[in-house]
Amino acid sequence: MAFALSQIFVVSMVDGGVSENPRGVAGYLDMLGANAFGRYRDLLEQVARAPVMGVYLSHMKNQKENVATGRIPDQNFAREVMQLFSIGLVELNLDGSARGGATYSGDDVAGLSRVFTGWSWDGPDTADSRFWGWDGATRDPDREWKPMQGYSQFHSISEKRFLGQVVPAQGRADPNASLTLALDTLANHPNVGPFIGRQLIQRLVTSHPSPAYVARVAAAFNNNGSGVRGDLKAVVRAVLLDPEARSTDANAGKLREPVLRLTALLRGMGATSDSGKWLIGTTDDAGTQLGQTPMRSPSVFNFYRPGYVPPGTLSGALGMTVPELQIAHETSVAGYANYLRGGIQGGFGQRGTNHQAPRNDVQIPLDAELALADQPQALVDRVTARLLPGGANDALKAEIRTAVESVALPALRADGGNQNQVNTAKRNRALLAVYLTAVSPEFLIQ
């Protein structure tokens, strides 16, 4: 759920300012996890006040307007908090279909931008030096991940109009009051349930949910059954327990994105980390790696668009949204296969030192598979059961078994002189069974 939220409320370490604050990014991901099953309104405030978000979408150190100099507040976050984090571009029905009309105008962006003035680093005071980050010895060492605080001297006192709401002109600037009304307005907008709910269905279950499925999830967002709006636990429950979540329709399911293919492989095979820190690092390169790294999307619009309909495909001909296909192409398909081949064989991630010899940090143990190497069907059954919990079809199992059996397994000589050759053949059989399962369509499609 935290990973799904990170693809809706995007910050990216591709941005130089964000990459300079790795603790801030780690804190941001922790924050998404901590709020994953809480109230959407609380999550939205944590996102708005996150320092790395302030850096990424430039509302940290955003100053009030100045008529004399012609300065106006930065509008970047004001626009994206509406377009991407809450209400989207067009008015929606409960089922996610377009009702017609834009959700906001340029005037709404301008009015909301004044709300996001006067926010900067957390600390024990709101001195100018702390706002600018020049606080030196008194700087909070954890400011990279603590929520930003308001600085009234930099906050606009002008009237702020947006989405039919008004923050009256303030005699004394009150950034917290402005923020509260703004986020309450966004969180209560009727678009939020279908807009956020549909994306969570896509991330967790299926790429092209039916309007009825979206409507049921949006209804759970609007009311968790106890009169509470925006209860994300109720939303996730509605997403996962909906009858369509277990649909056997040919159009159901989704293409696993590369990161989730790797985590499914590592989890399913019981992978271990020599360092205990899982030092896999960036996997951006589509030609030699995954073509995707968590918290490193190319822009605030994530790795792919939720409304992406792949051209020149059968799903595209049906008008189906398949977001993950936006990053699937000839290079990434080959890159994934090659990356997995190397990782399954020699481990993933950084080179480290274990108690025996230097090797890559993340390893897939194969002891149980090696023990079945002379029983091809049992080997294939075990691997497919671990990686394809929905069940592997007979054709796939037969194909993998044929490949496994193509690796000749020599008989061990009485003197044991060919033990190494026997061990190598057994290992190659085990590696092949895991590899072919992990690159099969049955594994790639959830």
Side-chain angles (χ1 to χ4, degrees), residues 387-420:
L387 296 181
L388 303 174
N393 59 65
D394 292 340
L396 175 65
K397 287 186 175 183
E399 190 171 0
I400 297 175
R401 176 174 175 168
T402 297
V404 167
E405 290 176 336
S406 73
V407 178
L409 190 61
L412 181 64
R413 295 203 315 248
D415 62 2
N418 65 339
Q419 184 67 65
N420 287 340

Side-chain angles (χ1 to χ4, degrees), residues 334-345:
Y336 168 73
N338 290 334
Y339 178 68
L340 247 62
R341 180 180 182 276
I344 292 169
Q345 185 171 18

Side-chain angles (χ1 to χ4, degrees), residues 7-280:
Q7 296 189 75
I8 299 173
F9 305 94
V10 173
V11 299
S12 175
M13 294 184 79
V14 170
D15 178 272
V18 176
S19 66
E20 292 174 357
N21 292 281
R23 293 182 75 234
V25 178
Y28 186 81
L29 192 55
D30 285 344
M31 178 276 292
L32 295 179
N35 287 272
F37 304 124
R39 290 179 62 241
Y40 167 81
R41 167 63 177 81
D42 297 335
L43 170 63
L44 189 62
E45 178 160 350
Q46 291 297 308
V47 167
R49 295 178 60 187
V52 291
M53 181 61 80
V55 170
Y56 189 49
L57 293 184
S58 55
H59 63 294
M60 175 180 274
K61 305 177 190 175
N62 191 13
Q63 299 178 68
K64 61 186 176 183
E65 67 277 9
N66 186 318
V67 176
T69 64
R71 183 182 67 224
I72 62 173
D74 186 288
Q75 298 182 356
N76 199 17
F77 184 76
R79 180 181 301 104
E80 306 305 356
V81 74
M82 291 190 287
Q83 179 180 350
L84 300 175
F85 304 163
S86 59
I87 63 177
L89 291 172
V90 298
E91 298 284 351
L92 301 175
N93 295 308
L94 188 68
D95 65 5
S97 60
R99 185 154 53 89
T103 52
Y104 62 87
S105 67
D107 290 340
D108 293 315
V109 173
L112 195 58
S113 70
R114 299 190 186 103
V115 170
F116 299 108
T117 54
W119 294 93
S120 191
W121 303 110
D122 184 63
D125 58 56
T126 55
D128 288 7
S129 59
R130 196 174 304 283
F131 178 85
W132 295 114
W134 303 335
D135 35 348
T138 65
R139 177 178 299 172
D140 187 332
D142 295 328
R143 72 175 192 169
E144 294 174 351
W145 56 267
K146 287 185 175 179
M148 292 188 292
Q149 63 181 358
Y151 291 73
S152 58
Q153 66 270 38
F154 294 100
H155 183 68
S156 173
I157 61 173
S158 301
E159 180 182 81
K160 307 169 183 71
R161 290 182 175 269
F162 49 87
L163 302 177
Q165 295 293 327
V166 180
V167 177
Q170 298 169 336
R172 183 180 186 282
D174 190 343
N176 289 298
S178 300
L179 184 70
T180 295
L181 180 58
L183 298 185
D184 285 350
T185 300
L186 291 174
N188 285 303
H189 193 285
N191 261 31
V192 182
F195 183 71
I196 297 296
R198 187 177 192 275
Q199 292 185 69
L200 289 177
I201 296 171
Q202 289 182 306
R203 298 283 62 76
L204 299 175
V205 175
T206 187
S207 293
H208 191 73
S210 72
Y213 191 177
V214 175
R216 290 189 290 270
V217 171
F221 181 95
N222 293 343
N223 186 338
N224 68 351
S226 300
V228 177
R229 177 180 175 80
D231 177 357
L232 293 178
K233 181 183 287 187
V235 172
V236 173
R237 182 184 295 116
V239 168
L240 297 181
L241 300 184
D242 193 271
E244 287 191 42
R246 285 164 301 286
S247 172
T248 57
D249 184 275
N251 296 334
K254 69 187 184 79
L255 174 64
R256 270 188 172 134
E257 56 197 296
V259 163
L260 296 184
R261 298 177 205 169
L262 179 60
T263 57
L265 170 66
L266 299 180
R267 186 177 296 114
M269 295 303 299
T272 60
S273 166
D274 288 345
S275 69
K277 299 178 181 178
W278 303 89
L279 301 174
I280 290 180

